[in-house]
Each structure stands twice: as C-alpha cells, then as structure tokens.
Amino acid sequence: MWNRFHYTVFVLCFLFQNCTLYEVENNSMEPTLMDGDVLIGVRIQQNVGVEDLRGRIVISHFPIVGEDELFVKRCVAVAGDSVCIVRGVCLNNSVQETWGKEIDMDTLKNSYGVWMVITNNSTYHRDNILNLSEILVPAEGDTVTVSEETLALYRGALFYETVRYGGSFPLLGDKYVFKSDYVFLCGDNMLHSFDSRQWGVVPLECMVSMVININ
C-alpha cells in the first residue's frame, strides 16, 4: 500500500521526466512573471490539443530565430480563432475572452518599435503595438489567397512550411493550403514584448512547454 513517501517519489519521477525549470530573463511578461523568476514547464506532448493552449503561458521557440532561443509568452489565440488588440487588450473574438489591461495611448511615445507590427502594412496604416486589426489564426487545411495583405500577415508561416514540407514559396494570386496549426503569442507586458505582433503566427510544433502554477 502506498504512503506519502511513495507518492512523493512518484511525483518527483514524473517531474523529472516531463518537466523542465526555466528562468525568466526579461520583463516581457510583467506583472505576471518578473525578471529572474523560475518557472516549471510541463513538456507539451505531440498529441496535445491546440485548444488546451488557449490562454496558457507557454515556452516556445520561433523558426526564424531558431530552436536554441526560447521565449515565454501567453497563447492568446489558437488555430481557428480570430484575435485583435484594442488599446493593449487582446480580444479573442472566437471565444469572447480577453487578456491584458487597457493602456493609455500616450505611453506609446516612449515605446520602441511602436509601428513594427504585421498589420501595419499597405492595408492597415494606423496599427501599432497596442492596436492590431483582426487576424485569423490558421488551422491545418485552411486556405488563403496570397496577396500583399496575407503575405504581411503570414509570411513567416509560409516560409516555415516551405522549408519544413518542401515546395516553392507561393506567388501572389496563388491559393495556399496551410499544413500546420498555428497560435498567436503575446507578452503580458504589451509595451515591452516582441511576439506575434511582430513575428506573426507561430507553428504549434514550436511549442515546448506549458508553464504550471501561474495564472
């Protein structure tokens, strides 16, 4: 019969096999996570449901940066969702959920990279890091017509799939079928985070761990 000691050993073995410790090295997730915080991340299995990631804090890498560079962000939208940002608040229109808090627009004056967002292109001239036009997060099997607008939104995903699955990069006017599910990641500290607002959507395969014991 198991006692407390046996359960403790079992839990420690489980953690050793399935969990990893991470140290936060920037302020992109403040006030939820502070620089220097140590996190426990549960390894994301290959068969994880993308729905399980919505709203969760995750550890991921990004194909353009490389697998050696890890990031901690919040997954504010998953494949099939539509997401926008209004005055610093992320709105997931698919499930009517929000993350973040409204930010005074005057604070943008001192923010680096205020206009470096994927929707600030020939279609959306006024978008910035606190105000992002609605974006559909691609799911495997979704089809998009390649245009200047969709290239601005999904260029990183198209490059990722071209490298991962082979073939040539699609041309303007082509119909493209996505081969992976994607997520949209944001730092809770909207003024001091580089994330999907600049990178674009991130492939599900790049998710490494889900952080536990954090709201």
Side-chain angles (χ1 to χ4, degrees):
M1 187 170 181
W2 279 25
N3 55 30
R4 181 175 296 179
F5 172 78
H6 293 110
Y7 279 112
T8 301
V9 172
F10 173 81
V11 170
L12 288 174
C13 290
F14 173 82
L15 291 176
F16 181 78
Q17 293 179 351
N18 295 279
C19 294
T20 304
L21 296 179
Y22 301 93
E23 183 177 355
V24 179
E25 296 182 351
N26 55 53
N27 63 349
S28 71
M29 284 296 294
E30 290 183 359
T32 310
L33 301 174
M34 308 300 289
D35 186 16
D37 282 353
V38 176
L39 313 175
I40 299 176
V42 179
R43 187 174 66 237
I44 295 176
Q45 306 297 326
Q46 290 184 348
N47 60 348
V48 66
V50 68
E51 295 278 337
D52 297 331
L53 300 181
R54 187 189 290 115
R56 298 293 299 267
I57 296 176
V58 297
I59 307 294
S60 73
H61 60 86
F62 186 61
I64 293 177
V65 179
E67 295 189 13
D68 293 336
E69 188 78 19
L70 294 177
F71 302 89
V72 55
K73 305 293 178 185
R74 188 178 298 276
C75 181
V76 298
V78 301
D81 288 348
S82 61
V83 61
C84 64
I85 299 174
V86 180
R87 293 188 294 275
V89 178
C90 294
L91 308 176
N92 188 321
N93 297 313
S94 302
V95 291
Q96 299 299 309
E97 292 189 48
T98 64
W99 291 273
K101 63 179 181 179
E102 189 168 322
I103 299 176
D104 186 344
M105 296 302 295
D106 288 339
T107 59
L108 284 179
K109 296 176 182 178
N110 299 318
S111 298
Y112 174 74
V114 61
W115 303 109
M116 296 172 57
V117 295
I118 56 176
T119 57
N120 183 21
N121 54 56
S122 59
T123 302
Y124 308 113
H125 289 286
R126 298 180 180 177
D127 281 6
N128 53 54
I129 58 175
L130 298 184
N131 295 278
L132 220 67
S133 301
E134 186 175 31
I135 298 170
L136 298 177
V137 182
E140 180 182 353
D142 283 353
T143 301
V144 65
T145 300
V146 180
S147 64
E148 290 185 4
E149 176 184 342
T150 54
L151 273 178
L153 300 181
Y154 305 123
R155 188 184 305 274
L158 297 178
F159 272 119
Y160 168 77
E161 295 199 357
T162 299
V163 172
R164 181 176 176 86
Y165 300 107
S168 57
F169 193 82
L171 303 175
L172 290 176
D174 287 350
K175 298 284 187 181
Y176 185 83
V177 180
F178 286 99
K179 301 176 179 64
S180 296
D181 286 328
Y182 288 83
V183 299
F184 195 93
L185 305 179
C186 273
D188 285 1
N189 187 353
M190 298 289 284
L191 290 172
H192 299 283
S193 174
F194 284 95
D195 45 48
S196 286
R197 293 172 295 171
Q198 293 87 12
W199 305 334
V201 292
V202 181
L204 178 61
E205 294 92 340
C206 290
M207 302 299 102
V208 178
S209 300
M210 287 190 293
V211 175
I212 60 175
N213 295 329
I214 296 291
N215 294 323

